[in-house]
Structure formats: C-alpha cells, structure tokens
C-alpha cells in the first residue's frame, strides 16, 4: 500500500537500476516519472521496463492486468522542470561520482517542491560526500536497491545531517514497495552486503590482474566450493563492468593504492572495448548463454568470452 504523503516518484537516471526501481514503485501504486538526458535514452529505458514487466508477468509475479496498470503509471521526460513537477520522492541512480550526484541534486533542489525527499541509490559512496551540495541535506538519505529481479533487500543509510523523521518516512516507503529494509546506524561505504561483495570483487580482481589464475578458474574456485550459480566475475558482469570500474578507479585514486589501481586498469581494458557485461551481451563472459551456465564449466570444459 502507498503511504499517504508520497504519491509521485521521480527516477533520476534511466539505467538498469533506475528502470528496476521505477517499475517496483509503479507495481505498488506510485506514479513514476523517469528523467534522463535525452528522449532516446528514455525511450530505450521504457522499452526495457516493459520487457522486464512482461518477464514478471510470465513468471507469475504480476498478472497481465496488474502489469498494464503499472506501466500506465509510468512516464518519462528529458525536461527537468516538467520531471520535477509535484514530485514527492526522488530516487537517484546517476554514475558513481559525488560531484555529479551533488550537481544533479542541486539542479532538482531548485525545481522540486520543498517537501520532496531526496534518496541516492549509490553503491559505494556515502551521502555526506554530497549532502551539502544538494541544497537540502536534512532531506537526503541513501536508499540502495539490489537487483529487484531476484531480491527485495534495500539498505537505508542516513548521514549525520539527515532529519530522523525523513529516515523514518523513507523506511516506511521502502516497506510499502515490498522491501526488506536493512537500517545502518552510521555511514559505511558499501552498506552491509556490498561491503562483503566488494571484498570478494577486490580479491578476484587482484588474483586476475596479478595473473595468479584465469578469470574462469577464479570463478570455478568460488562456484565449486560455495556451490553458487556464478562466481565473482559472473556477478561483476551482472552488476555492469562500467559500474565496477568506476567504483574501483575512484577509490584507487582516492587512496593511492597501487594494487587497487591495477585492478581498475584490468577492468578498464574491458570497458574500453565496450564489454560492459550482461547489458551489452559481452563482459568477462558472452551472453545470453554464459559459459558458467554450461554443465561442464566446473570441470574446465568451458571458458568465458
């Protein structure tokens, strides 16, 4: 059920996560508007949202009637002023750059009603890094979604300047769209799950960039011992290699860690070739039938891309 004072949700950034978050909100009765830099980007995003919704319907997650009603609640515009009109709640999923996030929020601070709550879906940054730049730091909180196709866990992380009443409203909103809310009591880069996942990524990338073992064998080691359907490099493909590279490169430069920079450079080799992972059908593996799904992958019979 919707909570009464939030009716219209604005999604800043119509990439994969923005698409998923917007549809999730629409499925639970909220009006959703997507904003991005061009109509071309938005048209492509809306097609993908419809495709995702159809997959939900085919898997029994939605009825066909519910799907059509959900899609009818969704609109999109590259006009920032139009996008901000009557918005109660923002979910931001722009690239992992604190300067960019602050700039985008500052733009919408001037356009949105005073009541509008700002949330960021940042994976590894913390909201205090750009809270002041937003113009309404007391109304900013991190609400981080994982892949909504497979999980309904979200991280809720206020910064020291967040109004506790805002944190509570965002908590209630997350519950209203069917999420399990993990509340953080202090800022932590990577929240809870991503902190653990980033350690896995770092270990895997270090092994690969130092040429200790091949990508496929690193994944085989994890899959074989942990009995998971994919290894760390398969997971990176699902997250998106541009996202993993951006985060890795940012922290490498911020800390001056030479191994972290070597890991970022290893990823950049793939990004420069346009091999972004699942979304481009090519990353460490080729899609839609990645080698790690084949029955003989663990025995060494299949390789990645």
């Amino acid at each position: 059920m919707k909570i009464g004072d939030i009716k219209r949700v604005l999604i800043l950034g119509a990439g994969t996560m923005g698409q998923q978050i917007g549809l999730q909100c629409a499925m639970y009765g909220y009006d959703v508007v997507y904003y991005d830099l061009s109509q071309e980007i938005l048209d492509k995003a809306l097609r993908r949202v419809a495709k995702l919704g159809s997959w939900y319907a085919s898997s029994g997650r939605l009825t066909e009637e519910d799907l059509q009603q959900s899609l009818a609640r969704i609109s999109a515009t590259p006009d920032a002023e139009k996008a901000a009109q009557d918005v109660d709640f923002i979910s931001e999923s722009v690239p992992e750059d604190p300067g960019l996030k602050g700039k985008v929020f500052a733009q919408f601070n001037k356009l949105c009603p005073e009541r509008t709550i700002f949330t960021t879906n940042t994976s590894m940054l913390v909201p205090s890094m750009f809270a002041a730049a937003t113009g309404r730091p007391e109304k900013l909180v991190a609400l981080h979604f994982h892949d909504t196709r497979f999980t309904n866990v979200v991280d809720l992380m206020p910064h020291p300047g967040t109004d506790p009443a805002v944190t509570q409203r965002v908590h209630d909103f997350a519950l209203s769209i069917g999420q399990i809310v993990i509340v953080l009591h202090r800022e932590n880069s990577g929240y809870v799950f991503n902190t653990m996942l980033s350690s896995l990524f770092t270990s895997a990338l270090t092994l690969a960039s130092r040429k200790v073992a091949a990508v496929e064998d690193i994944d085989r080691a994890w899959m074989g011992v942990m009995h998971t359907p994919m290894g760390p490099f398969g997971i990176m493909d699902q997250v998106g290699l541009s996202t993993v590279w951006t985060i890795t490169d940012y922290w490498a430069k911020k800390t001056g860690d030479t191994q972290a920079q070597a890991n970022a450079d290893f990823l950049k080799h793939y990004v420069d070739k346009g091999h972004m992972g699942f979304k481009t059908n090519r990353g460490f593996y080729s899609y839609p039938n990645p080698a790690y799904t084949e029955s003989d992958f663990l025995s060494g019979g299949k390789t990645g891309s």
Side-chain angles (χ1 to χ4, degrees):
M1 295 290 291
K2 292 190 295 184
I3 56 176
D5 56 352
I6 296 179
K7 296 180 175 64
R8 185 172 173 84
V9 176
L10 171 58
I11 306 295
L12 298 181
T16 300
M17 282 310 306
Q19 294 163 24
Q20 292 185 14
I21 296 166
L23 179 57
Q24 186 73 21
C25 295
M27 285 165 53
Y28 282 83
Y30 292 93
D31 293 327
V32 173
V33 57
Y34 288 99
Y35 170 82
D36 216 308
L37 297 177
S38 73
Q39 191 62 50
E40 180 182 5
I41 293 172
L42 292 167
D43 288 344
K44 185 177 181 180
L46 290 177
R47 289 193 296 270
R48 289 180 171 175
V49 168
K51 184 176 180 180
L52 176 61
S54 294
W55 181 71
Y56 284 169
S58 68
S59 62
R61 187 164 170 175
L62 281 174
T63 66
E64 188 61 34
E65 181 181 1
D66 287 339
L67 171 59
Q68 295 310 315
Q69 290 177 353
S70 298
L71 294 178
R73 297 186 190 104
I74 295 173
S75 61
T77 178
D79 183 327
E81 187 172 354
K82 183 178 179 181
Q85 188 173 4
D86 294 327
V87 164
D88 303 302
F89 189 97
I90 287 179
S91 175
E92 166 271 313
S93 291
V94 304
E96 292 287 272
D97 178 336
L100 177 61
K101 289 180 184 291
K103 182 179 178 180
V104 171
F105 272 129
Q107 176 187 11
F108 280 89
N109 179 51
K110 297 175 182 178
L111 300 173
C112 288
E114 184 178 349
R115 68 179 184 275
T116 307
I117 292 173
F118 286 1
T119 72
T120 176
N121 186 49
T122 179
S123 297
M124 295 298 292
L125 306 177
V126 294
S128 62
M129 297 173 74
F130 46 90
T134 68
R136 55 180 80 185
E138 75 286 354
K139 289 187 171 71
L140 173 70
V141 65
L143 183 65
H144 172 254
F145 291 75
H146 300 272
D147 191 329
T148 63
R149 294 172 299 174
F150 307 115
T151 183
N152 63 335
V153 172
V154 295
D155 301 290
L156 174 58
M157 181 171 69
H159 65 93
T162 304
D163 182 344
V166 169
T167 302
Q168 184 61 51
R169 288 176 67 198
V170 174
H171 176 275
D172 294 345
F173 171 80
L175 290 178
S176 79
I177 58 172
Q179 302 302 292
I180 297 169
V181 187
I182 308 301
V183 180
L184 278 77
H185 301 297
R186 59 183 297 176
E187 286 188 307
N188 183 67
S189 174
Y191 308 96
V192 176
F193 177 79
N194 275 11
T195 294
M196 297 184 285
L197 184 64
S198 66
S199 295
L200 174 62
F201 285 178
T202 297
S203 297
L205 288 166
T206 298
L207 289 167
S209 68
R210 295 178 61 196
K211 300 183 179 180
V212 173
V215 163
E216 295 83 4
D217 279 338
I218 295 167
D219 274 358
R220 287 185 183 102
W222 186 263
M223 293 167 65
V225 174
M226 298 302 295
H227 302 286
T228 58
M230 67 183 74
F233 289 100
I235 299 171
M236 285 185 232
D237 274 354
Q238 297 297 319
V239 172
L241 300 193
S242 59
T243 297
V244 181
W245 170 75
T246 299
I247 294 168
T248 305
D249 189 64
Y250 174 83
W251 287 106
K253 288 180 168 53
K254 186 175 179 66
T255 62
D257 186 324
T258 56
Q259 182 57 61
Q261 190 61 61
N263 293 347
D265 294 344
F266 178 81
L267 286 162
K268 188 67 159 49
H269 173 71
Y270 290 85
V271 172
D272 285 346
K273 293 192 294 185
H275 297 173
M276 305 295 188
F278 174 79
K279 65 182 179 180
T280 61
N281 293 326
R282 187 78 179 271
F284 292 112
Y285 297 90
S286 295
Y287 297 86
N289 300 305
Y292 57 75
T293 63
E294 299 293 335
S295 59
D296 59 348
F297 178 73
L298 284 181
S299 65
K302 296 287 184 180
T303 58
S305 58

